[in-house]
PDB file of all heavy atoms in Angstrom:
ATOM      1  N   GLN X   6     121.438 109.991  62.348  1.00  0.00           N
ATOM      2  CA  GLN X   6     120.513 110.794  63.157  1.00  0.00           C
ATOM      3  C   GLN X   6     119.215 110.035  63.393  1.00  0.00           C
ATOM      4  O   GLN X   6     118.676 110.039  64.498  1.00  0.00           O
ATOM      5  CB  GLN X   6     120.220 112.138  62.476  1.00  0.00           C
ATOM      6  CG  GLN X   6     119.459 113.096  63.360  1.00  0.00           C
ATOM      7  CD  GLN X   6     120.275 113.527  64.568  1.00  0.00           C
ATOM      8  OE1 GLN X   6     121.300 114.174  64.432  1.00  0.00           O
ATOM      9  NE2 GLN X   6     119.821 113.177  65.762  1.00  0.00           N
ATOM     10  N   ARG X  13     115.799 106.534  70.907  1.00  0.00           N
ATOM     11  CA  ARG X  13     115.213 107.218  72.068  1.00  0.00           C
ATOM     12  C   ARG X  13     113.708 106.972  72.105  1.00  0.00           C
ATOM     13  O   ARG X  13     113.143 106.659  73.146  1.00  0.00           O
ATOM     14  CB  ARG X  13     115.500 108.718  72.007  1.00  0.00           C
ATOM     15  CG  ARG X  13     114.841 109.504  73.138  1.00  0.00           C
ATOM     16  CD  ARG X  13     114.835 111.008  72.915  1.00  0.00           C
ATOM     17  NE  ARG X  13     115.975 111.516  72.223  1.00  0.00           N
ATOM     18  CZ  ARG X  13     116.956 112.211  72.786  1.00  0.00           C
ATOM     19  NH1 ARG X  13     116.949 112.447  74.070  1.00  0.00           N
ATOM     20  NH2 ARG X  13     117.947 112.672  72.058  1.00  0.00           N
ATOM     21  N   LEU X  17     111.062 104.607  74.799  1.00  0.00           N
ATOM     22  CA  LEU X  17     109.793 105.027  75.371  1.00  0.00           C
ATOM     23  C   LEU X  17     108.682 104.036  75.015  1.00  0.00           C
ATOM     24  O   LEU X  17     107.894 103.636  75.879  1.00  0.00           O
ATOM     25  CB  LEU X  17     109.424 106.426  74.887  1.00  0.00           C
ATOM     26  CG  LEU X  17     110.285 107.562  75.421  1.00  0.00           C
ATOM     27  CD1 LEU X  17     110.056 108.836  74.625  1.00  0.00           C
ATOM     28  CD2 LEU X  17     110.013 107.778  76.901  1.00  0.00           C
ATOM     29  N   GLU X  19     108.916 100.902  74.226  1.00  0.00           N
ATOM     30  CA  GLU X  19     109.122  99.628  74.922  1.00  0.00           C
ATOM     31  C   GLU X  19     108.811  99.725  76.416  1.00  0.00           C
ATOM     32  O   GLU X  19     108.489  98.729  77.043  1.00  0.00           O
ATOM     33  CB  GLU X  19     110.551  99.131  74.713  1.00  0.00           C
ATOM     34  CG  GLU X  19     110.795  98.650  73.300  1.00  0.00           C
ATOM     35  CD  GLU X  19     112.228  98.224  73.057  1.00  0.00           C
ATOM     36  OE1 GLU X  19     113.147  98.694  73.768  1.00  0.00           O
ATOM     37  OE2 GLU X  19     112.431  97.414  72.134  1.00  0.00           O
ATOM     38  N   SER X  20     108.877 100.929  76.971  1.00  0.00           N
ATOM     39  CA  SER X  20     108.604 101.096  78.396  1.00  0.00           C
ATOM     40  C   SER X  20     107.111 101.178  78.702  1.00  0.00           C
ATOM     41  O   SER X  20     106.712 101.100  79.856  1.00  0.00           O
ATOM     42  CB  SER X  20     109.299 102.358  78.921  1.00  0.00           C
ATOM     43  OG  SER X  20     108.608 103.527  78.497  1.00  0.00           O
ATOM     44  N   VAL X  32      99.369 116.712  72.891  1.00  0.00           N
ATOM     45  CA  VAL X  32      98.700 117.170  71.670  1.00  0.00           C
ATOM     46  C   VAL X  32      97.202 117.012  71.914  1.00  0.00           C
ATOM     47  O   VAL X  32      96.730 115.902  72.196  1.00  0.00           O
ATOM     48  CB  VAL X  32      99.141 116.332  70.450  1.00  0.00           C
ATOM     49  CG1 VAL X  32      98.433 116.808  69.194  1.00  0.00           C
ATOM     50  CG2 VAL X  32     100.653 116.382  70.278  1.00  0.00           C
ATOM     51  N   GLY X  54     105.980 109.266  47.297  1.00  0.00           N
ATOM     52  CA  GLY X  54     106.555 110.259  46.389  1.00  0.00           C
ATOM     53  C   GLY X  54     107.930 109.880  45.873  1.00  0.00           C
ATOM     54  O   GLY X  54     108.449 110.501  44.945  1.00  0.00           O
ATOM     55  N   ALA X  71     104.682  97.371  65.647  1.00  0.00           N
ATOM     56  CA  ALA X  71     104.541  98.216  64.452  1.00  0.00           C
ATOM     57  C   ALA X  71     105.642  99.272  64.424  1.00  0.00           C
ATOM     58  O   ALA X  71     106.248  99.522  63.375  1.00  0.00           O
ATOM     59  CB  ALA X  71     103.159  98.871  64.436  1.00  0.00           C
ATOM     60  N   PRO X  94     104.477 117.834  46.095  1.00  0.00           N
ATOM     61  CA  PRO X  94     104.079 119.180  45.663  1.00  0.00           C
ATOM     62  C   PRO X  94     104.366 120.265  46.693  1.00  0.00           C
ATOM     63  O   PRO X  94     104.512 121.425  46.335  1.00  0.00           O
ATOM     64  CB  PRO X  94     102.567 119.044  45.405  1.00  0.00           C
ATOM     65  CG  PRO X  94     102.132 117.817  46.112  1.00  0.00           C
ATOM     66  CD  PRO X  94     103.338 116.922  46.200  1.00  0.00           C
ATOM     67  N   ASP X  98     111.401 118.382  44.886  1.00  0.00           N
ATOM     68  CA  ASP X  98     112.161 117.144  44.686  1.00  0.00           C
ATOM     69  C   ASP X  98     113.414 117.182  45.540  1.00  0.00           C
ATOM     70  O   ASP X  98     114.163 118.160  45.502  1.00  0.00           O
ATOM     71  CB  ASP X  98     112.567 116.988  43.222  1.00  0.00           C
ATOM     72  CG  ASP X  98     111.383 116.770  42.301  1.00  0.00           C
ATOM     73  OD1 ASP X  98     110.270 116.544  42.808  1.00  0.00           O
ATOM     74  OD2 ASP X  98     111.572 116.830  41.073  1.00  0.00           O
ATOM     75  N   ASP X 102     116.826 110.372  51.215  1.00  0.00           N
ATOM     76  CA  ASP X 102     117.410 110.407  52.557  1.00  0.00           C
ATOM     77  C   ASP X 102     117.363 111.819  53.149  1.00  0.00           C
ATOM     78  O   ASP X 102     117.104 111.992  54.342  1.00  0.00           O
ATOM     79  CB  ASP X 102     118.828 109.832  52.580  1.00  0.00           C
ATOM     80  CG  ASP X 102     119.780 110.504  51.617  1.00  0.00           C
ATOM     81  OD1 ASP X 102     119.335 111.084  50.600  1.00  0.00           O
ATOM     82  OD2 ASP X 102     120.999 110.425  51.861  1.00  0.00           O
ATOM     83  N   PHE X 108     112.072 116.109  57.117  1.00  0.00           N
ATOM     84  CA  PHE X 108     110.661 116.157  57.484  1.00  0.00           C
ATOM     85  C   PHE X 108     110.231 115.098  58.494  1.00  0.00           C
ATOM     86  O   PHE X 108     109.264 115.300  59.204  1.00  0.00           O
ATOM     87  CB  PHE X 108     109.789 116.051  56.226  1.00  0.00           C
ATOM     88  CG  PHE X 108     110.048 117.173  55.275  1.00  0.00           C
ATOM     89  CD1 PHE X 108     110.772 116.970  54.117  1.00  0.00           C
ATOM     90  CD2 PHE X 108     109.597 118.447  55.560  1.00  0.00           C
ATOM     91  CE1 PHE X 108     111.028 118.009  53.246  1.00  0.00           C
ATOM     92  CE2 PHE X 108     109.851 119.503  54.700  1.00  0.00           C
ATOM     93  CZ  PHE X 108     110.570 119.290  53.538  1.00  0.00           C
ATOM     94  N   GLY X 111     113.174 114.692  62.432  1.00  0.00           N
ATOM     95  CA  GLY X 111     112.918 115.737  63.421  1.00  0.00           C
ATOM     96  C   GLY X 111     111.566 115.571  64.100  1.00  0.00           C
ATOM     97  O   GLY X 111     111.405 115.913  65.273  1.00  0.00           O
ATOM     98  N   TRP X 114     112.039 113.057  66.800  1.00  0.00           N
ATOM     99  CA  TRP X 114     112.725 113.707  67.917  1.00  0.00           C
ATOM    100  C   TRP X 114     111.753 114.545  68.742  1.00  0.00           C
ATOM    101  O   TRP X 114     111.677 114.396  69.965  1.00  0.00           O
ATOM    102  CB  TRP X 114     113.868 114.564  67.359  1.00  0.00           C
ATOM    103  CG  TRP X 114     114.555 115.433  68.342  1.00  0.00           C
ATOM    104  CD1 TRP X 114     115.345 115.027  69.384  1.00  0.00           C
ATOM    105  CD2 TRP X 114     114.524 116.860  68.397  1.00  0.00           C
ATOM    106  NE1 TRP X 114     115.800 116.123  70.077  1.00  0.00           N
ATOM    107  CE2 TRP X 114     115.320 117.250  69.479  1.00  0.00           C
ATOM    108  CE3 TRP X 114     113.912 117.828  67.619  1.00  0.00           C
ATOM    109  CZ2 TRP X 114     115.507 118.595  69.817  1.00  0.00           C
ATOM    110  CZ3 TRP X 114     114.098 119.164  67.943  1.00  0.00           C
ATOM    111  CH2 TRP X 114     114.887 119.531  69.041  1.00  0.00           C
ATOM    112  N   ARG X 134     120.355 121.192  70.878  1.00  0.00           N
ATOM    113  CA  ARG X 134     119.513 120.883  69.713  1.00  0.00           C
ATOM    114  C   ARG X 134     118.192 121.647  69.782  1.00  0.00           C
ATOM    115  O   ARG X 134     117.693 122.121  68.762  1.00  0.00           O
ATOM    116  CB  ARG X 134     119.266 119.376  69.629  1.00  0.00           C
ATOM    117  CG  ARG X 134     118.612 118.958  68.326  1.00  0.00           C
ATOM    118  CD  ARG X 134     118.642 117.472  68.158  1.00  0.00           C
ATOM    119  NE  ARG X 134     117.941 117.052  66.956  1.00  0.00           N
ATOM    120  CZ  ARG X 134     117.618 115.800  66.693  1.00  0.00           C
ATOM    121  NH1 ARG X 134     117.966 114.835  67.534  1.00  0.00           N
ATOM    122  NH2 ARG X 134     116.965 115.487  65.599  1.00  0.00           N
ATOM    123  N   LEU X 149     104.796 128.240  59.572  1.00  0.00           N
ATOM    124  CA  LEU X 149     104.538 127.063  60.393  1.00  0.00           C
ATOM    125  C   LEU X 149     103.136 127.102  61.000  1.00  0.00           C
ATOM    126  O   LEU X 149     102.422 126.100  61.006  1.00  0.00           O
ATOM    127  CB  LEU X 149     105.592 126.936  61.496  1.00  0.00           C
ATOM    128  CG  LEU X 149     107.018 126.667  61.031  1.00  0.00           C
ATOM    129  CD1 LEU X 149     107.983 126.765  62.204  1.00  0.00           C
ATOM    130  CD2 LEU X 149     107.123 125.318  60.353  1.00  0.00           C
ATOM    131  N   GLN X 154     100.037 122.679  61.471  1.00  0.00           N
ATOM    132  CA  GLN X 154     100.736 121.619  62.191  1.00  0.00           C
ATOM    133  C   GLN X 154     101.137 122.030  63.603  1.00  0.00           C
ATOM    134  O   GLN X 154     101.511 121.179  64.403  1.00  0.00           O
ATOM    135  CB  GLN X 154     101.973 121.176  61.407  1.00  0.00           C
ATOM    136  CG  GLN X 154     101.600 120.546  60.079  1.00  0.00           C
ATOM    137  CD  GLN X 154     102.818 120.115  59.303  1.00  0.00           C
ATOM    138  OE1 GLN X 154     103.845 119.790  59.875  1.00  0.00           O
ATOM    139  NE2 GLN X 154     102.702 120.125  57.996  1.00  0.00           N
ATOM    140  N   LEU X 171     111.258 125.868  73.212  1.00  0.00           N
ATOM    141  CA  LEU X 171     110.898 125.197  71.959  1.00  0.00           C
ATOM    142  C   LEU X 171     109.488 124.625  72.050  1.00  0.00           C
ATOM    143  O   LEU X 171     108.671 124.806  71.144  1.00  0.00           O
ATOM    144  CB  LEU X 171     111.899 124.092  71.628  1.00  0.00           C
ATOM    145  CG  LEU X 171     111.544 123.233  70.396  1.00  0.00           C
ATOM    146  CD1 LEU X 171     111.528 124.074  69.122  1.00  0.00           C
ATOM    147  CD2 LEU X 171     112.523 122.067  70.266  1.00  0.00           C
ATOM    148  N   ASP X 178     102.484 123.113  76.274  1.00  0.00           N
ATOM    149  CA  ASP X 178     102.737 123.680  77.594  1.00  0.00           C
ATOM    150  C   ASP X 178     103.855 122.859  78.231  1.00  0.00           C
ATOM    151  O   ASP X 178     103.657 121.688  78.510  1.00  0.00           O
ATOM    152  CB  ASP X 178     101.457 123.601  78.441  1.00  0.00           C
ATOM    153  CG  ASP X 178     101.652 124.135  79.839  1.00  0.00           C
ATOM    154  OD1 ASP X 178     102.793 124.494  80.223  1.00  0.00           O
ATOM    155  OD2 ASP X 178     100.649 124.172  80.581  1.00  0.00           O
TER     156      ASP X 178
END
Side-chain angles (χ1 to χ4, degrees):
Q6 189 65 64
R13 176 194 326 253
L17 290 166
E19 289 177 335
S20 75
V32 180
D98 293 350
D102 56 335
F108 300 105
W114 172 68
R134 190 168 176 192
L149 294 172
Q154 296 180 29
L171 175 63
D178 178 355

